[in-house]
Amino acid sequence: MKNIYLYIFCLSLLSLGSCSLDTEPLTQKTDTNFYKTTDDAFSALVGCYDGLQVATGAGGRGIPVMSEVMSDDCFGGGGASDGYDLAAVDEFDIARSPADVDLYNSNWIAYYKAIYRCNVFLSKMDQIDWKGDTVLRNTYESETKFIRAYIYFEMVRLWGNIPLLTAPSSANIPQANPDEVYKVIAEDLVFAANNLPAVGYSATTSGHVTKWAAKSLLGRVFLYYTGYYGKTDLVGVVTKAQALAHLEDVIAGSGHGLVDDFSALWPAASVDKYAGEDNRETVFGIKYTYTSDYNGNTDGNAWLVMFGMREFSSYPYGHGWGVTVNSKLWNIYDANDTRRDASIIGIAEENIPFDKLNSQREYTGYYNKKYTPMVDENGLELPIKLGSKFWDISQFQDYVVIRYADVLLMAAELESGNAQAYFDQVRQRAYKANFTPLPVSKENILKERHLEFALEGVRYWDLLRQGIGTASSTIAETTTLLSGGVAGTKTISAAKIQATKGLQQIPNTQITLSGGVLKQNAGW
């Protein structure tokens, strides 16, 4: 880890130009002549967003994909002749691919690079001449703390036990108690919620964190932490009543709302009726562009190709690497629920002439429609059409982290006085004229969350926060799937999931670099 941190320090000063936000490359800046002016501060903030973009879009295995593979909604899939790394994740069993001891090493490095950038910028706040503009300082500090909180939240959910750094450091430190990490996450988000300007979403700069994003993420962190760890509050920083109040503020004052047509949220489901990346329902999304290359410019959504149909395109769906959707997901939707066809590509249901069975592992006949590569009517990949040279690393669909529908359902789960109305709003959009009221309850809310947020990287964490027993029994199954066109048995064991407590493998390279200071998670 010490070597990695030294490398991070150099990159934090030399790589600020690699981002989709407008800024000039700062290749001549040093720690002594930088962090002086508000222009420097903006460039540093861009660097933090860039760190977030790389860590979530191109820094190893995409966590939105891995979150779905770990859940009951997707299988690892992939190519019939590929390695079995996705199977190891899917089945929580490293014996499926014992050589994969560094499944998430690139993720780990990218996360800590981003954390380092945030910590450096936060440590330099007092030396910047803000010209008396405390609002600007508080805004930049809030956005940076949100980014740090978001990254730590991804890390602590994934690994449970991670080194916690809140200042620039190259120290080789042991993993912190998760409570310590959650305390920093909670404090960072409370600071951002209290200090970001209270302006409507439409008046904010595209891609930037808002007060409403901080309040919404705080609700998600509260529900996950209290559920997974069996607590009543968020490490003494946020109570249930406070978490609910933050969500109610979003509902009352943000200007966010539901898009009328659920399918319009997803470009492949709506094509020319797409509501756009910055539609009123997106509370927070991570932005990507089509400008990635193999020379260090990593602005694209590299994980999205994992969800594409295996080596096969059919307008508007592009080809990819074939993570498959469990047929059980298709089957749990009511036929009148408009979310089914907007969320899932059904090969037979849409009469798609898919002919790559011999190339596809764990074929189910279903793929992710919310996040899939796209082609035009002539079969040309959209990144290529827009000028990119690399379709695989230049997918540009933003990752929508939190939608307004999530805010409504989280507030209902936290027992808002308007819980029934919030619950009904989400369901009314889904069923339209076929809507039939359903009593609001925690069980019904969690079922609705499954239908509403399927294939968005949310389901696994919703299961895990209900307890490892519930998660493991829900995910576990034995079924028959086609791999290379041949039927075979697929088994996911509840015992394997329970052995890991739902956590993932700590990269062996990081354990080695730490001299054994870092310890591997159980089951890996």
Side-chain angles (χ1 to χ4, degrees):
M1 287 180 64
K2 182 176 181 180
N3 292 337
I4 288 172
Y5 289 135
L6 292 173
Y7 178 55
I8 291 168
F9 176 76
C10 295
L11 285 182
S12 71
L13 296 177
L14 298 178
S15 301
L16 297 180
S18 178
C19 186
S20 60
L21 300 176
D22 290 335
T23 184
E24 293 298 320
L26 300 176
T27 57
Q28 304 303 317
K29 298 297 183 180
T30 69
D31 193 43
T32 56
N33 66 17
F34 196 54
Y35 304 107
K36 299 293 186 183
T37 68
T38 54
D39 285 343
D40 292 342
F42 176 74
S43 295
L45 179 62
V46 169
C48 294
Y49 275 106
D50 184 50
L52 173 67
Q53 183 188 61
V54 172
T56 57
R61 287 173 168 83
I63 298 308
V65 176
M66 295 298 101
S67 298
E68 287 303 323
V69 169
M70 289 186 285
S71 81
D72 56 333
D73 285 346
C74 288
F75 297 113
S81 60
D82 286 351
Y84 286 87
D85 55 317
L86 289 176
V89 173
D90 190 16
E91 299 170 27
F92 293 79
D93 185 2
I94 194 57
R96 295 286 279 124
S97 188
D100 277 308
V101 297
D102 273 332
L103 285 167
Y104 297 99
N105 192 49
S106 294
N107 300 76
W108 184 281
I109 294 170
Y111 280 138
Y112 277 108
K113 285 181 182 178
I115 290 293
Y116 191 88
R117 290 185 183 189
C118 292
N119 285 340
V120 169
F121 186 27
L122 291 171
S123 73
K124 302 295 184 181
M125 287 284 168
D126 288 339
Q127 77 178 43
I128 294 169
D129 180 6
W130 297 98
K131 300 186 184 300
D133 193 341
T134 56
V135 172
L136 183 65
R137 172 181 172 149
N138 286 340
T139 297
Y140 283 13
E141 185 173 352
S142 295
E143 291 184 57
T144 305
K145 286 186 171 180
F146 177 98
I147 293 169
R148 183 172 69 177
Y150 180 85
I151 292 169
Y152 268 137
F153 186 44
E154 279 206 355
M155 294 171 69
V156 75
R157 285 190 304 176
L158 192 65
W159 292 303
N161 306 283
I162 57 173
L164 174 64
L165 293 160
T166 56
S169 173
S170 60
N172 183 19
I173 61 174
Q175 290 134 301
N177 184 303
D179 283 355
E180 298 175 56
V181 181
Y182 276 99
K183 189 171 189 294
V184 170
I185 293 169
E187 289 173 345
D188 280 355
L189 291 177
V190 168
F191 183 91
N194 291 338
N195 287 281
L196 282 163
V199 297
Y201 87 94
S202 59
T204 59
T205 303
S206 175
H208 281 260
V209 172
T210 66
K211 174 183 287 287
W212 321 115
K215 287 174 175 285
S216 300
L217 185 58
L218 196 52
R220 179 175 288 181
V221 173
F222 178 90
L223 285 168
Y224 184 81
Y225 174 81
T226 55
Y228 184 77
Y229 293 100
K231 306 286 183 149
T232 57
D233 64 23
L234 181 54
V235 288
V237 177
V238 179
T239 66
K240 177 180 177 180
Q242 289 170 331
L244 175 58
H246 282 295
L247 295 171
E248 297 281 26
D249 283 349
V250 178
I251 294 168
S254 69
H256 286 291
L258 297 179
V259 169
D260 292 337
D261 181 354
F262 182 84
S263 69
L265 291 166
W266 317 107
S270 57
V271 190
D272 57 345
K273 296 181 180 178
Y274 177 43
E277 295 175 338
D278 298 316
N279 64 73
R280 66 195 301 253
E281 189 162 339
T282 300
V283 178
F284 178 65
I286 298 174
K287 303 197 76 63
Y288 304 109
T289 73
Y290 55 86
T291 56
S292 288
D293 57 35
Y294 287 101
N295 295 318
N297 295 307
T298 50
D299 302 323
N301 181 341
W303 54 259
L304 187 133
V305 296
M306 296 300 299
F307 283 130
M309 294 185 295
R310 182 72 192 182
E311 300 176 349
F312 183 85
S313 299
S314 179
Y315 176 76
Y317 316 128
H319 54 109
W321 305 138
V323 167
T324 53
V325 171
N326 195 325
S327 61
K328 291 196 304 184
L329 178 61
W330 177 275
N331 293 331
I332 66 170
Y333 282 97
D334 185 284
N336 293 318
D337 191 335
T338 61
R339 294 172 297 195
R340 184 189 66 182
D341 292 348
S343 302
I344 307 169
I345 298 170
I347 297 298
E349 290 79 3
E350 298 184 44
N351 296 313
I352 296 172
F354 183 76
D355 62 0
K356 297 295 183 179
L357 285 179
N358 290 340
S359 298
Q360 175 71 66
R361 179 178 291 161
E362 298 180 340
Y363 180 75
T364 64
Y366 298 100
Y367 294 95
N368 188 337
K369 189 180 291 189
K370 290 180 175 178
Y371 291 101
T372 189
M374 294 178 65
V375 294
D376 67 11
E377 295 90 336
N378 298 314
L380 183 64
E381 298 93 343
L382 293 193
I384 303 299
K385 186 173 184 176
L386 290 170
S388 174
K389 296 180 180 179
F390 310 99
W391 72 274
D392 52 343
I393 60 172
S394 292
Q395 297 296 324
F396 55 90
Q397 183 179 339
D398 291 353
Y399 176 48
V400 181
V401 175
I402 299 178
R403 295 193 279 114
Y404 183 72
D406 200 352
V407 176
L408 292 173
L409 292 181
M410 286 192 292
E413 188 174 344
L414 288 172
E415 300 178 309
S416 165
N418 298 313
Q420 186 69 58
Y422 296 160
F423 185 58
D424 288 348
Q425 281 185 53
V426 175
R427 298 187 68 251
Q428 283 172 333
R429 176 177 66 178
Y431 290 93
K432 297 188 179 297
N434 296 303
F435 169 71
T436 301
L438 186 68
V440 68
S441 66
K442 184 171 183 177
E443 179 183 6
N444 286 338
I445 290 168
L446 288 168
K447 287 180 179 178
E448 204 62 37
R449 289 182 64 84
H450 189 191
L451 300 171
E452 179 72 19
F453 306 118
L455 309 178
E456 295 179 47
V458 173
R459 170 66 171 172
Y460 178 68
W461 311 110
D462 273 356
L463 285 174
L464 209 53
R465 68 182 175 88
Q466 296 176 61
I468 191 62
T470 296
S472 61
S473 62
T474 303
I475 296 168
E477 71 170 299
T478 297
T479 188
T480 300
L481 302 173
L482 291 177
S483 293
V486 178
T489 300
K490 168 78 170 182
T491 299
I492 301 175
S493 162
K496 293 290 185 183
I497 302 171
Q498 291 170 11
T500 66
K501 299 181 181 178
L503 302 176
Q504 285 291 293
Q505 177 197 73
I506 303 287
N508 186 66
T509 290
Q510 300 306 317
I511 295 173
T512 301
L513 285 172
S514 75
V517 171
L518 298 183
K519 306 301 180 184
Q520 184 57 269
N521 281 328
W524 294 102

